[in-house]
């Protein structure tokens, strides 16, 4: 474990919270001191949930360490069951409580509650949040999933002739990047193929729903970080094939539709014939030539970083100059993808390493997390957020998926708009001295009269100090767009007065600009 100002992932019990909070009828009892009780902040403020997360803490204090903390935990489990009456419970310890080794699983079993109680062993000093979510979901599936009556263990599902094929959709959780919106798009695609959805889990599922997982013909894994382990167990145990093509981007969505259709034995043609994304049209348009070859740095969780790199190169014509992830469990896949771009992958959970790599690459666009957004802002590089961890801004109220054909439209906007803003600035600079279009010319409907110079705000200054503008400095000032020229004049004159400079030269103007841009 490394102490740092920013972190890409929390400890593994945060991953367990994401699974528990996503589900219905499941309660999480966490052995934790007062300082670890921040689930409400995560899920009600950051994700804007309208209900408190189903988590009970023991909240032991320092003086309790010399007493019986095991009894405190058992009382918390009893009270949580009596109050919430869940269908099932998961129990575990936070990173701090792990040190006192109270064995939450054994203590909960001793209570002999009339519901399933699944113990979690989440080593906080070796593993992190995504692994914790994956392990929690895997343990729940193993404990609760049951094969349909009459099917031999490991046998493939045998669908009756004419019966509608069904699948489980696995992976979306609470506090997940666009999971709610992605799920809506994927359910629509699956439904248009004529395939029924048996269970969606963890998001919206109950423990009894997990018991029905074995009834589906196959499983769809949307987020391998969360659901791949559980889906592989279901494949080994119930003979259910898994589809783990992540449908982010037009090409990946087409591949996803084809893979799902093959698993269900249906025709993908009608769905693919009506693919509604505008991204392919844009890449064939004249406007796209402005962006061809733009150098892009990509970093995030493995699912979104891999998908963003592929979309950037194969669908928008960008050049990927950096690719990395903080998810060490998926380092092999990310390294292989980076190699296909002719670069070396960056596998790190230290944001300072990522900042150094971005500064070294000097890309024209950064696709990353909120941390990379802050880094890019400092370096003056356009950025789009494409991955967790996220800030409250990245849980939009609107429908904003990453997956499916509509998700490709969202990606198109997210990737292109920051670059187009840069293009606008370039055009503004290019035409600022044009005799017809420069900002000193009034609109034609005003008769061509010169645009009035904005009045500079009065600046307090000693009466004895007056400043004048050299001709070359005045000419350079007029190159600044009119809507910020007054502020530039005011700041430069203040800079000169503070240094007792009676004449503002071109050098003074540049020095003032450097001073106020720090």
């Amino acid at each position: 474990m490394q102490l740092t100002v920013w972190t890409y992932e929390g400890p593994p019990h945060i991953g367990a919270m994401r699974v528990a909070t996503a589900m219905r009828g499941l309660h999480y009892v966490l052995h934790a001191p007062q300082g670890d009780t921040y689930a409400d902040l995560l899920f009600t403020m950051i994700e804007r949930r309208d209900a408190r997360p189903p988590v009970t803490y023991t909240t032991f204090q320092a003086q309790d360490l010399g007493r019986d903390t095991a009894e405190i935990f058992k009382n918390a489990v009893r009270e949580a069951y009596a109050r919430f009456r869940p269908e099932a419970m998961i129990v575990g310890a936070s990173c701090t409580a792990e040190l006192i080794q109270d064995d939450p699983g054994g203590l909960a079993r001793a209570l002999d509650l009339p519901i399933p109680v699944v113990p979690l062993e989440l080593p906080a000093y070796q593993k992190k949040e995504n692994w914790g979510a994956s392990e929690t979901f895997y343990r729940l599936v193993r404990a609760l999933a049951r094969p349909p009556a009459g099917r031999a263990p490991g046998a493939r599902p045998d669908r009756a002739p004419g019966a509608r094929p069904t699948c489980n959709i696995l992976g979306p959780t609470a506090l997940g990047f666009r999971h709610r919106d992605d799920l809506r798009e994927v359910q629509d695609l699956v439904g248009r193929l004529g395939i029924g959805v048996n269970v969606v889990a963890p998001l919206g599922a109950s423990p009894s729903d997990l018991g029905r997982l074995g009834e589906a013909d196959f499983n769809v894994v949307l987020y391998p970080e969360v659901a791949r382990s559980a889906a592989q167990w279901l494949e080994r145990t119930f003979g259910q094939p898994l589809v783990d093509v992540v449908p982010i981007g037009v090409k990946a969505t087409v591949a996803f539709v084809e893979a799902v259709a093959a698993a269900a034995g249906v025709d993908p043609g009608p769905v693919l014939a009506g693919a509604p994304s505008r991204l392919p049209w844009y890449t064939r348009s004249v406007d796209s030539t402005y962006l061809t070859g733009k150098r892009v740095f990509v970093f995030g969780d493995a699912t979104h970083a891999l998908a963003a790199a592929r979309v950037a190169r194969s669908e928008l014509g960008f050049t990927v100059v950096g690719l990395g992830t903080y998810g060490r469990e998926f380092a092999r896949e990310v390294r292989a993808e980076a190699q296909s771009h002719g670069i070396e992958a960056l596998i790190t959970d230290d944001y300072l390493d990522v900042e150094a790599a971005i500064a070294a690459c000097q890309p024209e666009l950064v696709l990353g997390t909120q941390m990379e957004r802050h880094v890019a802002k400092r370096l003056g590089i356009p950025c789009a957020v494409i991955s967790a961890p996220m800030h409250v801004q990245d849980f939009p109220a609107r429908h904003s998926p990453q997956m499916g054909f509509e998700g490709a439209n969202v990606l198109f906007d997210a990737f292109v708009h920051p670059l187009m803003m840069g293009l606008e600035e370039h055009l503004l600079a290019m035409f600022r001295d044009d005799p017809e279009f420069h900002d000193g010319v009034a609109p034609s409907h005003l008769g061509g009269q010169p645009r009035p110079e904005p009045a500079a705000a009065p600046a307090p200054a000693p009466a004895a100090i007056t400043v004048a503008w050299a001709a070359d400095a005045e000419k350079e000032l007029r190159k600044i767009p009119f809507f910020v020229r007054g502020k530039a004049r005011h700041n430069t004159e203040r800079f000169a007065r503070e240094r007792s400079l009676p004449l503002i030269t071109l050098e003074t103007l540049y020095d003032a600009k450097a001073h106020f841009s720090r």
Side-chain angles (χ1 to χ4, degrees), residues 108-168:
R109 280 194 299 271
L111 297 176
D112 197 25
L113 295 177
I115 59 172
V117 178
V118 180
L120 301 177
E121 294 184 9
L122 307 176
Y125 298 95
Q126 290 84 37
K127 300 293 185 179
K128 294 197 172 183
E129 179 181 328
N130 279 336
W131 184 90
S134 175
E135 179 70 7
T136 301
F137 187 50
Y138 169 73
R139 292 293 170 189
L140 283 168
V141 169
R142 283 201 61 164
L144 301 174
R146 298 288 179 267
R151 186 190 301 171
R156 290 177 64 89
D158 186 18
R159 187 168 69 249
R164 187 186 189 191
T166 61
C167 69
N168 300 314

Side-chain angles (χ1 to χ4, degrees), residues 1 41 46 52 60 72 115 118 137 141 146 171 177 192 211 219 227 245 265-266 268 282 288 362 390 467 483:
M1 178 175 285
L41 280 177
I46 294 181
R52 295 184 63 185
F60 59 84
I72 293 174
I115 59 172
V118 180
F137 187 50
V141 169
R146 298 288 179 267
F177 188 81
R192 287 163 56 198
N219 293 308
V245 178
V266 299
Y282 178 80
S288 69
Q362 285 297 303
M390 71 290 291
V467 294
F483 47 86

Side-chain angles (χ1 to χ4, degrees), residues 284-352:
R284 296 190 299 269
S285 72
V286 174
D287 284 349
S288 69
T289 59
Y290 290 118
L291 306 177
T292 301
K294 290 292 185 182
R295 303 171 72 255
V296 181
F297 187 99
V298 183
F299 191 87
D301 66 52
T303 292
H304 292 91
L306 289 170
R310 291 163 184 163
V311 171
R313 178 175 66 175
S314 65
E315 300 188 31
L316 288 172
F318 295 163
T319 299
V320 178
V321 296
L323 174 61
T325 184
Y326 54 80
R328 297 184 183 276
E329 294 85 0
F330 290 81
R332 181 177 298 175
E333 290 95 321
V334 175
R335 287 194 177 101
E337 179 67 22
Q339 188 175 10
S340 74
H341 294 268
I343 56 178
E344 184 176 348
L346 177 65
I347 311 298
T348 183
D349 57 4
D350 188 335
Y351 69 93
L352 294 176

